Amino acid sequence: MASSGIRDRFRAQMRQEVKESALRQLAEGGPQALSLNAIAKELGVSGPALYRYFASRDALLTELILDAYADLTAVITAVPRRPAELAAAYRSWAVAEPHRYRLLFAAPLPGYDAQDPRLVTAAQQAMNVLLEAVGPGPAPDPALARQLAAHNAATDPAALLRAITAWSRLHGLVSLEIEGNFRSMGLDPDLLFAAEVRSIDQ
């Protein structure tokens, strides 16, 4: 039993070290820079040995995305369920962790299955926090209402539409900010964010 516990701790430690190395690669060069062989070299193990901890590069990416969703959800869950506070927490995490934020909303590599059920569930958990903060808006047209109900039958379509719309606007603003678009236009991201939050709160 003691030997098994030591192996389990070593495995958990190795998996964490692999993830940390992968995150450094992502921060420096994006998903295209992610290399299991480079990670193995950094950690002083063979390439084949690394596959005992992650079956493939895609499996490693999935773990990183799930971790990022969990961290983002924890951050926005920790603040009051009001749009302004949620938006500020969301933005702060994205600005602090741009390489991880990018993983959440774009297929990191050609052929990667971004519709993995675990990823869909993780994304929905983050959206559920936003749903708690927004009230229903205007009723969507019948065709869209049916699609919204198919996506989430437990939520009023009008509330779901408002949450998705608010998230879309926030995501667009944050994505432009972390790519430096506003600075290149001579615009202050803080002022733009404050204006957007006021419009979402109305």
Side-chain angles (χ1 to χ4, degrees):
M1 292 293 291
S3 177
S4 175
I6 292 172
R7 285 197 302 270
D8 289 345
R9 287 196 297 273
F10 178 77
R11 178 178 176 81
Q13 179 182 337
M14 278 297 298
R15 283 174 57 84
Q16 184 60 34
E17 289 181 5
V18 170
K19 289 181 182 180
E20 290 171 358
S21 177
L23 287 173
R24 287 192 290 272
Q25 290 186 359
L26 288 170
E28 293 168 2
Q32 295 76 14
L34 189 60
S35 166
L36 291 182
N37 286 333
I39 292 172
K41 183 177 180 180
E42 178 184 337
L43 299 182
V45 300
S46 68
L50 210 60
Y51 287 92
R52 293 202 294 267
Y53 306 102
F54 294 95
S56 65
R57 183 173 63 172
D58 281 6
L60 174 55
L61 273 170
T62 296
E63 291 280 347
L64 296 176
I65 295 170
L66 289 171
D67 287 349
Y69 268 126
D71 287 352
L72 174 58
T73 301
V75 165
I76 61 177
T77 299
V79 300
R81 297 297 195 274
R82 292 189 290 271
E85 282 84 350
L86 282 172
Y90 182 102
R91 177 196 180 214
S92 293
W93 186 85
V95 170
E97 305 272 2
H99 56 295
R100 300 180 73 201
Y101 184 79
R102 294 183 189 104
L103 280 179
L104 301 183
F105 302 113
L109 292 169
Y112 179 80
D113 180 15
Q115 301 306 313
D116 182 308
R118 293 174 297 167
L119 300 180
V120 173
T121 298
Q124 187 59 57
Q125 289 170 343
M127 179 60 72
N128 287 343
V129 179
L130 182 57
L131 279 168
E132 294 176 10
V134 302
D141 68 65
L144 180 56
R146 288 192 295 271
Q147 293 176 7
L148 292 165
H151 172 66
N152 186 342
T155 302
D156 173 65
L160 184 55
L161 175 60
R162 188 173 184 202
I164 291 173
T165 301
W167 167 74
S168 299
R169 291 166 56 181
L170 179 60
H171 169 63
L173 186 146
V174 166
S175 296
L176 290 169
E177 178 178 359
I178 65 176
E179 299 304 336
N181 296 83
F182 296 137
R183 293 293 184 189
S184 68
M185 298 167 66
L187 300 175
D188 185 337
D190 291 338
L191 297 178
L192 286 169
F193 176 75
E196 178 63 11
V197 166
R198 285 195 296 271
S199 68
I200 290 175
D201 241 345
Q202 291 174 353

